[in-house]
């Protein structure tokens, strides 16, 4: 699976955006509001590396408690899957724990994504490449 992006959790969207801009990152597409997860998302890239800025827009955001625990930090790598169902099952067989149901990601053209946790490396995300 190819790397799609590195998810970067931030508390203050505008400030974090400005810092990454200053580091040379440029926006890829518009800011997206993911209303099912209550997060704001902006993809940015530099030198072929794509980051996904994720920040909560409400107290019941999907990432609120994690942000409290970790502070601003990279928190997942997302991989592109050519065979979503197969890869998901294969990872689960290897001991990854699926923590979300596959669900469309508005910021990635509605492609299905799923999050899994590996006990040794933590959170990863898989995006279904088929609809990309
Ligand atoms: Ni992501």
């Amino acid at each position: 699976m190819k790397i799609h992006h590195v998810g970067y959790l931030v508390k203050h969207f505008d400030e974090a955006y400005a810092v990454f801009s200053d580091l040379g990152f440029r926006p890829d597409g518009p800011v997206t509001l993911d209303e099912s997860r209550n997060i704001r998302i902006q993809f940015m890239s530099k030198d072929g590396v794509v980051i996904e800025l994720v920040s909560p827009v409400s107290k019941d955001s999907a990432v609120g408690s994690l942000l409290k625990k970790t502070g601003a930090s990279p928190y997942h790598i997302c991989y592109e899957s050519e065979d979503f169902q197969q890869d998901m099952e294969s990872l689960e067989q290897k001991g990854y724990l699926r923590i979300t149901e596959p669900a469309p990601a508005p910021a990635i053209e509605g492609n299905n994504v799923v999050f899994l946790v590996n006990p040794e490396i933590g959170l990863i995300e898989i995006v279904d490449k088929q609809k990309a």
Side-chain angles (χ1 to χ4, degrees):
M1 295 186 290
K2 282 174 65 180
I3 291 178
H4 186 273
H5 65 263
V6 176
Y8 217 107
L9 194 54
V10 300
K11 186 172 184 185
H12 305 114
F13 184 86
D14 292 339
E15 288 81 348
Y17 181 91
V19 173
F20 276 117
S21 294
D22 186 54
L23 285 168
F25 282 84
R26 294 294 170 257
D28 293 337
V31 176
T32 304
L33 186 63
D34 185 333
E35 287 175 347
S36 68
R37 301 177 180 89
N38 286 319
I39 54 177
R40 186 180 305 165
I41 292 172
Q42 172 73 65
F43 284 96
M44 302 181 82
S45 61
K46 171 183 165 65
D47 305 332
V49 175
V50 179
I51 61 167
E52 173 194 39
L53 277 191
V54 176
S55 84
V57 293
S58 69
K59 285 211 157 49
D60 59 347
S61 153
V63 295
S65 60
L66 184 60
L67 182 59
K68 233 172 232 166
K69 201 158 63 180
T70 64
S73 66
Y75 75 113
H76 69 262
I77 293 177
C78 177
Y79 300 87
E80 294 178 357
S81 168
E82 304 282 348
D83 190 341
F84 192 65
Q85 194 62 35
Q86 171 63 37
D87 284 337
M88 212 163 46
E89 284 169 16
S90 160
L91 290 168
E92 285 183 290
Q93 279 165 13
K94 291 177 191 171
Y96 288 74
L97 181 68
R98 186 149 60 86
I99 61 163
T100 65
E101 290 301 317
I108 316 179
E109 289 156 6
N111 289 33
N112 271 337
V113 298
V114 67
F115 285 89
L116 303 104
V117 169
N118 177 288
E120 304 300 336
I121 68 165
L123 192 63
I124 71 165
E125 178 181 22
I126 309 295
V127 59
D128 187 346
K129 188 74 187 351
Q130 289 308 318
K131 282 185 279 175

